[in-house]
Amino acid sequence: MRLAQEFFARSVHDVAPELVGATLVVNGVGGRIVEVEAYDREDPASHGFRGQTPRNRSMFGPPGRAYVYRSYGVHWCLNLVCEEEGTAAAVLVRAIEPTRGLGAMRDRRGLKEERLLCSGPGRLCQALAVTGEHDGLRLDRRPFALGEAPASAHVVRGPRVGISQAAELPWRYGLAGSRFLSRVL
DNA sequence: CACAGGATATACT
DNA sequence: GTATATCCTGTGA
């Protein structure tokens, strides 16, 4: 089943765990989501916490769209906007298990080792060729394609990564035992 | 393991 | 205006 726009128009804390095991493909290249993090409006670590800026504009837009931002001036990071327009809640996609377009990924990443192709938010954006041009695009249309996670997906929860504010909130979700996690849960 | 790389935003002077 | 921090990764110690 394809994920519809309505899927994202719910609490980010409901959407995030349901995205683990889902299929994410961009222009035919992608795989299974194995790690995400939730960011809500009351979260000091969220880009939306201090209000709208030119960078985080799409976070404040309608749900079911992409929010792509540049991290540390070097990498791109892909978020999926949730809840409703103006809420500024989103799910950060941190790692996927590559299943489609492995060749393209290796070319883009200049790397052979499968485990490192997409295990990390910046890495997966490079492998799927996600850039600022995808910022604000709908997730139910090309170049994106999102497929529902199987009910059997075993999701585990743990602390988030790389942040100092509210780092203790257990809002990182991962596929149990996956070797493609950016960090073990 | 430490650290450079360098856009964006905020908190200072 | 300058300084500091950040949802990170590759490289070299």
Side-chain angles (χ1 to χ4, degrees), chain A residues 69-182:
Chain A
Y69 70 92
R70 215 193 255 285
S71 165
Y72 290 83
V74 204
H75 318 286
W76 295 104
C77 291
L78 171 64
N79 296 255
L80 313 181
V81 179
C82 294
E83 303 192 357
E84 56 189 276
E85 188 162 355
T87 311
V91 176
L92 170 67
V93 183
R94 290 194 51 87
I96 70 177
E97 172 183 342
T99 60
R100 292 179 54 186
L102 278 282
M105 293 190 196
R106 290 202 183 90
D107 288 348
R108 292 164 179 167
R109 299 265 304 122
L111 217 142
K112 283 185 190 171
E113 197 183 338
E114 196 174 322
R115 200 185 62 80
L116 293 178
L117 286 179
C118 302
S119 84
R123 290 168 175 167
L124 81 86
C125 281
Q126 189 182 9
L128 306 203
V130 171
T131 69
E133 297 190 358
H134 297 83
D135 186 41
L137 295 186
R138 289 175 61 136
L139 299 170
D140 61 343
R141 293 183 185 172
R142 290 183 310 157
F144 291 103
L146 276 135
E148 194 174 292
S152 59
H154 184 190
V155 181
V156 286
R157 195 164 85 139
R160 294 182 292 180
V161 173
I163 58 179
S164 49
Q165 300 280 341
E168 76 287 356
L169 296 174
W171 289 349
R172 184 161 67 107
Y173 300 92
L175 192 63
S178 171
R179 70 189 186 99
F180 296 96
L181 294 172
S182 69

Side-chain angles (χ1 to χ4, degrees), chain A residues 4-122:
Chain A
Q5 295 281 285
E6 295 75 46
F7 174 84
F8 296 97
R10 297 177 294 138
S11 166
V12 70
H13 302 297
D14 293 332
V15 174
E18 291 179 32
L19 281 170
V20 175
T23 310
L24 169 64
V25 171
V26 182
N27 278 321
V29 177
R32 178 159 64 144
I33 298 176
V34 298
E35 184 179 341
V36 299
E37 280 176 5
Y39 291 86
D40 76 14
R41 67 188 311 173
E42 298 182 349
D43 181 353
S46 168
H47 285 171
F49 181 67
R50 290 171 194 83
Q52 189 172 340
T53 67
R55 175 175 68 160
N56 66 20
R57 186 169 48 89
S58 30
M59 232 189 148
F60 287 80
R65 300 194 183 216
Y67 163 44
V68 183
Y69 70 92
R70 215 193 255 285
S71 165
Y72 290 83
V74 204
H75 318 286
W76 295 104
C77 291
L78 171 64
N79 296 255
L80 313 181
V81 179
C82 294
E83 303 192 357
E84 56 189 276
E85 188 162 355
T87 311
V91 176
L92 170 67
V93 183
R94 290 194 51 87
I96 70 177
E97 172 183 342
T99 60
R100 292 179 54 186
L102 278 282
M105 293 190 196
R106 290 202 183 90
D107 288 348
R108 292 164 179 167
R109 299 265 304 122
L111 217 142
K112 283 185 190 171
E113 197 183 338
E114 196 174 322
R115 200 185 62 80
L116 293 178
L117 286 179
C118 302
S119 84

